[in-house]
Structure formats: structure tokens, C-alpha cells
Amino acid sequence: MANVFGDDWDAVSERPGFRHRRMRLGRRLGGRMLGASVYELPPGERAFPYHLHHANEELLVVLDGEVALRTPEGERTLRTGDAALFGRGPEGAHQVVNRAAGPARVLMVSTMVEPDVME
């Protein structure tokens, strides 16, 4: 059992520009074919670089706050409750950035197809 609004983090990144706390939800719950992580992003930070997957799809759900979503179509703002899907390949490229004044919390869910190649 796990709570997506809890404060029990598995990993902390202090890399400038990519500072975040991460809860490896899928792993905690014993997931093998489905991965899921909750990220808490301070203002001005990103969860990960702009990237795409060749084997896996990902789903983003904003749990709290507001984030900027960068995709091949440009950038748009997502707020609490908004969701987006990233397919495989170049059309699924994405990055999540917290441009708001307060922290943001997002859930990223993905298939776990291996091998996967990321660009």
C-alpha cells in the first residue's frame, strides 16, 4: 500500500535544474509490467530532460499544483487533475517543468517494455 500524497520518498535529486523528490510507486506495490512514480518538483525545477521512448508509453497526471508540459507541439500549462499521454517515438517527446511559485506533484505511469531506448 502507498499514498501518492504521502511524504515517504525513495529518491531525492539535488542536480541543479532537476531537483525533485521521487516515490517509486510501481516498485513499492510490486509492479512488473507497469511502472509509476510520484515526483514532487520545487519551483523552477524539472523531473527529467526533454526525452522520448522508443518502446514505452507514459501517462502524466498532475496531482497538485501547476506544471508546464513541453512537447513537439510546444509548451502548455497543466493544472491539478489534468492528464497527458506520451506515445512511443518522436511524437511522444516530453518534459515537465514547474514554472509556478509553489511546489508541484505529478504521477508518471509507464509500460515497462524492455529493452527501451530513450533519446
Side-chain angles (χ1 to χ4, degrees):
M1 187 124 158
N3 186 318
V4 298
F5 297 108
D7 226 13
D8 182 20
W9 305 101
D10 298 308
V12 175
S13 170
E14 292 297 336
R15 180 178 167 201
F18 297 93
R19 290 183 178 94
H20 63 265
R21 298 192 291 181
R22 182 179 183 185
M23 181 187 305
R24 294 178 185 263
L25 193 60
R27 186 177 291 176
R28 279 187 189 189
L29 298 174
R32 299 179 92 170
M33 299 296 292
L34 194 62
S37 288
V38 174
Y39 291 89
E40 185 176 81
L41 304 172
E45 301 293 329
R46 298 155 181 79
F48 34 75
Y50 186 69
H51 70 286
L52 62 93
H53 295 266
H54 286 279
N56 288 292
E57 291 185 333
E58 291 185 299
L59 171 73
L60 164 71
V61 179
V62 180
L63 299 174
D64 190 36
E66 180 178 293
V67 295
L69 173 62
R70 178 181 168 202
T71 67
E73 288 77 40
E75 192 172 288
R76 66 181 188 267
T77 301
L78 300 180
R79 294 176 177 81
T80 301
D82 287 340
L85 180 74
F86 313 112
R88 298 177 296 171
E91 65 279 355
H94 60 282
Q95 182 180 46
V96 176
V97 183
N98 182 359
R99 298 200 192 287
R105 189 176 287 220
V106 300
L107 171 67
M108 292 293 300
V109 179
S110 67
T111 55
M112 298 296 285
V113 176
E114 290 188 12
D116 186 19
V117 175
M118 292 189 307
E119 289 184 50

